[in-house]
Amino acid sequence: MADLVSRRDWNARAPRGDYTQLDSTRGVKVHYTGGRVDPGIVGDHNGCVSLVQSIQRGHMDGNGWVDIGYSFVACPHRKVFVGRGLHHLPAANGAGLNAGHYAVLGLVGNAGLVQPPDGVLHGILDAIDHLRERGDAGMEIKGHRDGYATDCPGEALYAWVRRGAPRPGGGDGGTTPPEAPPFPGRLLKYPPVMRGEDVRTWQVQMRERGWDLEADGAYGGGSRDVCRRFQRNQGIEVDGVVGPTTWRLSWEAPMP
C-alpha cells in the first residue's frame, strides 16, 4: 500500500463548503492533469506537493469548486494524496457523472511527463484498493473519457486502463496470464437456475477476482448479475451468459 499523504501534510486549503455525501460507487475513474507535468517531479517529491497545491488552487479559484475535484492523487513516488477522500462526491468526472465513480488522478500530463512511472500506477491501484476497502467503491476501473467527451486520462494511462489496469511487474513478473480451464461445453445462464461443478468452478474463480458471489454451484440471479458487470468491465457483449469468451476472460483478463 502506498503512503497516504494527509491533507494536513500537503498543506491543503480547507474546503469552502460542505461535501456531498457519497455512500457507494460503481468504481473509480482515472484522470490525468491535462497540462504539462514537469518530469523533474520524478526525482523531487516536493514538486509533487507543489503540483497538487496548484491543482487545488485551479479547481477552487478557477472552477469555483468547493475543493480539489479528485478523491485521491497518485504521484511517481507511490504516495497517495488525500483529496476529497472517502464518501465525498468528487467534481472531476463531469456534471451528472460524479456520483457513479470516485475520481483518482495520476500525476502525468499531455506534455513533459506523459508516460506514467510505475510509482504512479502503483499509487492509483493502491488508492483504488483503499476506496474499495474503506469507501464502498465497486469493481469498475474506467477512464475519465468513458462517458465524457475528453482526452483524459491521456493515451498512455487510458491504454493501461483498457488492459485491465495491471499492477506493474505483477506478482510473478506479470508476463504470462493464467490459462483458463477448458470451456465446459454448455452456456451458463439464468433462468432457470443451472447447477453443476462447471458453475461452481466459475463462481470460485470470480470470487478469486474479488466479486461478491457465493460458490454454491447454482447459477441464478446473483451469478447472472456478476457476469453482466464483468462483461461490461471487459467491453464484451453484456448478456449475463457465461459462454466461451466470458469463461476465458474470467481467468485470463488482467486482474483489476
Side-chain angles (χ1 to χ4, degrees), residues 28-43:
V28 171
K29 285 193 173 175
V30 176
H31 296 250
Y32 79 156
T33 69
R36 184 181 188 278
V37 172
D38 182 358
I41 69 170
V42 173

Side-chain angles (χ1 to χ4, degrees), residues 73-249:
V73 179
C75 84
H77 307 276
R78 196 173 177 176
K79 294 183 183 293
V80 175
F81 293 74
V82 179
R84 296 197 179 193
L86 304 169
H87 295 298
H88 295 151
L89 188 77
N93 292 332
L97 299 174
N98 288 304
H101 298 82
Y102 286 103
V104 175
L105 171 68
L107 286 185
V108 294
N110 58 13
L113 183 61
V114 173
Q115 291 293 331
D118 285 356
V120 168
L121 300 180
H122 278 300
I124 291 171
L125 292 173
D126 289 343
I128 290 171
D129 287 345
H130 183 61
L131 285 162
R132 287 174 175 170
E133 180 179 350
R134 303 287 300 277
D136 292 318
M139 297 298 294
E140 289 185 355
I141 302 177
K142 300 286 190 181
H144 184 196
R145 67 177 68 178
D146 291 319
Y148 190 80
T150 177
D151 291 334
C152 185
E155 295 308 316
L157 261 184
Y158 191 62
W160 173 72
V161 168
R162 291 292 295 167
R163 292 198 305 272
R167 193 169 285 278
D172 56 357
T175 58
T176 305
E179 184 175 349
F183 181 66
R186 64 170 182 164
L187 302 177
L188 307 183
K189 55 186 178 179
Y190 169 84
V193 175
M194 295 181 67
R195 302 179 186 276
E197 284 305 310
D198 50 354
V199 174
R200 191 185 311 277
T201 297
W202 179 79
Q203 290 171 329
V204 167
Q205 174 60 17
M206 297 308 284
R207 284 179 60 86
E208 288 291 322
R209 295 186 68 95
W211 295 92
D212 184 11
L213 179 64
E214 184 177 357
D216 58 2
Y219 194 90
S223 293
R224 179 192 60 192
D225 291 346
V226 166
C227 177
R228 284 175 172 168
R229 295 201 298 273
F230 176 70
Q231 290 171 330
R232 190 172 295 113
N233 287 355
Q234 297 302 317
I236 61 176
E237 182 181 1
V238 180
D239 58 8
V241 177
V242 182
T245 298
T246 300
W247 178 273
R248 178 180 58 80
L249 290 174

